[in-house]
Structure formats: structure tokens, C-alpha cells
Amino acid sequence: ITTNFFVNIAEAEILPEDGSPEKRVLEVLDRIFTFTFATELAVNMFGTLFLEFFSDAWNWFDTLVVAISLLSVFSAGIPGVSVLRLLRAFRVFRLFKRIPSLRQILIAINQSVPPMLNAFALVCLVTSIYAIMAVTFFRTHWPELFGDFFTTMFTMFQETPRSRPWCPTPCVYVLD
């Protein structure tokens, strides 16, 4: 799984031309990985009870990734299959099933998302209040920064970190 992930990284970095030796090597490696994963999935499916196999969400994920990989190998001419091949990069998530410490980290991240979304919603709410006030007070003086609500929200988010490398006209200088 890890080797396949690094091969995907190499393919994304090299971006080989069609017909080049690099492309042919990567295609051979892709087929080897696809058939290895398909064989492993078949052994896993028939080694466990059929109902037990499909009761695990990771097995559904494995089946989806392997099915799309097999589809991309056997049906290269179908439009849109190249986009579906992007799912091959998600094979690395199979490590979460195999390594308990990675699974524990994934569970912790999953449990931390709702509180982080609450904090983000609170920041958006407070920023929205200040954006409404800024539109009211500064709309006529600086319409390019405070002309409407969404432009003002964008300006506020640019000003929040005080490290505005992406902001062409920092508000601090405009307001001085």
C-alpha cells in the first residue's frame, strides 16, 4: 500500500507523456498493484463470511477502490475513467484499517471535527456582525473593500491574520 502511494506521488511529480518509457513503467506498476489488491480483496472476501465481509465499511471502501481500478485497467477508452482513477490515491487509507495507532488518530480527528466546526461557525458569526457594521460605516469611503457584505467579509478574513500576502491593498494602509 505504501509503495503504491509513493508510485502515485512519483507519477504526479513526473507527469509522464503518453507513450514515454516512464509512462509504460508506471502503467505496468499500476496493473501489478491493481491485481495485487484485487487478489487480496478476493481472498479477504472468500476467507471471511460474505455477510461479515460486507458489514465492515472499510471492506466497502476497498471494494470500491479496487472496482474502479479494475475498470480503469480494462476500460481505458471510456470517458471519465481517468478522473475515477484519482481514487487510486485513496488506497493509502487502507492503512487505517491495518494499523491500530493510525486508526486511533483517525478516530481522534473525526471526533475533533464537530467542535472545530462550532468554533469556525462562531468566528464567522462574529465576523459577520463586524462586516455588517463595516458596510454601514465604510461603504461610501472605501467601496472596493466595504461595498457590500461579501466583499467586506472577504476583507475581514484578509485582515484577521495580519499577514496579508494575498491582499493587494491592505486596509491598514488604506485607512491611514
Side-chain angles (χ1 to χ4, degrees):
I1 294 171
T2 307
T3 307
N4 178 50
F5 185 67
F6 285 120
V7 168
N8 285 335
I9 291 172
E11 183 178 8
E13 179 64 28
I14 295 170
L15 295 174
E17 302 276 331
D18 285 336
S20 68
E22 295 89 3
K23 182 72 170 180
R24 286 193 294 272
V25 168
L26 289 171
E27 286 174 351
V28 168
L29 287 173
D30 180 51
R31 288 175 188 234
I32 290 170
F33 288 129
T34 298
F35 291 122
T36 302
F37 288 139
T39 303
E40 186 229 349
L41 184 69
V43 168
N44 187 10
M45 186 183 301
F46 293 114
T48 59
L49 296 174
F50 191 74
L51 190 60
E52 179 185 335
F53 177 82
F54 283 110
S55 65
D56 185 10
W58 286 107
N59 290 335
W60 280 95
F61 178 74
D62 288 347
T63 304
L64 177 70
V65 170
V66 169
I68 289 174
S69 297
L70 288 171
L71 183 69
S72 71
V73 167
F74 291 117
S75 305
I78 296 176
V81 170
S82 61
V83 175
L84 290 177
R85 291 180 68 181
L86 292 174
L87 281 177
R88 294 178 307 164
F90 293 108
R91 286 179 184 159
V92 76
F93 283 127
R94 296 174 67 179
L95 289 175
F96 290 120
K97 178 183 175 185
R98 310 260 190 264
I99 302 173
S101 59
L102 287 179
R103 191 172 347 143
Q104 189 176 13
I105 291 170
L106 183 65
I107 290 169
I109 289 172
N110 191 27
Q111 290 175 345
S112 69
V113 168
M116 291 301 297
L117 288 176
N118 289 338
F120 180 71
L122 185 61
V123 167
C124 286
L125 179 66
V126 170
T127 306
S128 296
I129 292 169
Y130 281 107
I132 291 168
M133 292 171 52
V135 168
T136 304
F137 294 136
F138 304 123
R139 170 181 50 212
T140 57
H141 299 290
W142 298 285
E144 68 277 359
L145 298 173
F146 303 105
D148 57 53
F149 176 77
F150 290 111
T151 304
T152 304
M153 281 292 285
F154 184 66
T155 302
M156 301 291 267
F157 276 115
Q158 285 180 331
E159 288 302 308
T160 299
R162 295 269 183 210
S163 61
R164 319 160 274 294
W166 61 87
C167 184
T169 55
C171 297
V172 174
Y173 300 118
V174 173
L175 296 177
D176 286 343

